[in-house]
Amino acid sequence: MPAIDVGDITLHYEESGRGAPVLLIPGTAARGRTWWLHQVPALVGAGYRAITLDNRGVGQSGPARPGLTVADLVADTVAVIERVAGGPCRLIGTSLGAYVVQEVLLARPDLADRAVLMASRARPDAMSLALAAAERAMADAGISLPPGYDAVNRALQNLSPRTLEEPEAAQDWLDILEMSPTNWADKGQRPQLDVTVDTDRRAAYGTIRVPTLVLSFADDLIAPAVRGRELATAIPGARYARIADAGHYGYLEQPDAVNDAILEFFADA
């Protein structure tokens, strides 16, 4: 896997296709490979060059240090845009990745041609703050859930009830999640839990001028659609779409609807 050195760590990325570059940023603890099942083939098939990144602390990239901030991840993303994409490009992020992209749109709007923000928000609420605090507390206590229980918990939090109603689909997801259990005991990964939307950013996002599409997932418990609507309202001229029968992992649950929305937005000049 190709890599670039950024400060004291190495960032690994993968790319495919030729054409206008699109950089995809994954969510907390997720590898860039999560985009390769559905989004990368769709983008490459539409004539784009897709670039995926392992954020620091994940996959083959270097470990994240204590005190990690969204500014650190923004700096990493800027480095990849400049040194891999070769200049301004389209950006796609989901969850934590969307938060990073939102902040790139403020810090370096000159590097973003347009942006897609999935499963995101502009401000915290009681539940998002409580969940973030609970996950940090569990990680710091050294608690490691049995893989089977971890899989069930993640499925209930991140998937749509429609997906879980289908026996084969539910079992497939449980098998996948159990094979890749949460591992907050990895000290190089734990700092990602500190990077959350913990302040109201609506006023700041009101200065964004990059064309933006906000995608919410109708059954998302982590980033409810109402928070996505708020985010789209905060960004001048932003488009908003709500994908049905999808939870926080909506880009994997309803990939056709997600890909259609992305490609339509990219093609509409």
Side-chain angles (χ1 to χ4, degrees):
M1 185 185 292
I4 60 172
D5 291 326
V6 179
D8 61 344
I9 70 161
T10 298
L11 294 175
H12 285 264
Y13 65 91
E14 294 182 88
E15 60 181 313
S16 180
R18 306 175 71 176
V22 181
L23 177 59
L24 300 98
I25 309 297
T28 304
R31 297 188 60 172
R33 291 293 301 179
T34 59
W35 298 107
W36 283 74
L37 187 61
H38 300 295
Q39 281 69 50
V40 168
L43 289 165
V44 172
Y48 294 99
R49 174 187 170 210
I51 305 165
T52 62
L53 172 67
D54 282 354
N55 286 319
R56 60 173 66 201
V58 180
Q60 297 190 56
S61 287
R65 308 297 184 193
L68 183 70
T69 67
V70 69
D72 296 324
L73 298 178
V74 166
D76 292 345
T77 302
V78 166
V80 174
I81 295 172
E82 292 180 330
R83 296 163 57 184
V84 179
C89 68
R90 294 165 168 82
L91 301 173
I92 300 174
T94 189
S95 195
L96 171 66
Y99 180 30
V100 173
V101 170
Q102 290 157 209
E103 296 298 318
V104 170
L105 300 184
L106 292 176
R108 291 297 305 272
D110 57 305
L111 295 179
D113 179 68
R114 55 186 56 205
V116 177
L117 311 174
M118 295 191 285
S120 193
R121 58 172 67 233
R123 67 178 177 96
D125 53 31
M127 285 303 298
S128 69
L129 292 173
L131 177 60
E135 288 182 332
R136 289 192 295 268
M138 186 166 65
D140 293 341
I143 296 172
S144 180
L145 298 175
Y149 182 82
D150 178 61
V152 170
N153 186 53
R154 288 160 67 198
L156 290 172
Q157 282 191 2
N158 294 288
L159 299 173
S160 167
R162 179 64 63 86
T163 298
L164 298 178
E165 287 171 3
E166 300 177 10
E168 289 187 7
Q171 190 58 59
D172 286 346
W173 272 103
L174 289 171
D175 291 342
I176 292 169
L177 294 171
E178 188 167 352
M179 286 188 295
S180 55
T182 305
N183 182 24
W184 296 123
D186 182 345
K187 296 188 182 300
Q189 194 177 99
R190 160 63 180 85
Q192 286 206 358
L193 290 178
D194 291 323
V195 185
T196 62
V197 180
D198 57 4
T199 58
D200 190 336
R201 300 290 287 160
R202 285 176 292 180
Y205 294 157
T207 67
I208 291 174
R209 295 296 180 265
V210 177
T212 301
L213 169 66
V214 177
L215 287 182
S216 288
F217 303 124
D219 301 323
D220 192 342
L221 299 178
I222 308 298
V226 65
R227 297 290 168 252
R229 173 71 76 175
E230 280 186 345
L231 174 60
T233 300
I235 299 172
R239 301 185 190 182
Y240 176 76
R242 180 174 174 268
I243 306 296
D245 300 328
H248 198 60
Y249 291 164
Y251 66 110
L252 300 173
E253 284 185 278
Q254 299 294 339
D256 291 342
V258 169
N259 294 344
D260 286 348
I262 291 171
L263 293 176
E264 180 182 353
F265 175 62
F266 282 176
D268 186 0

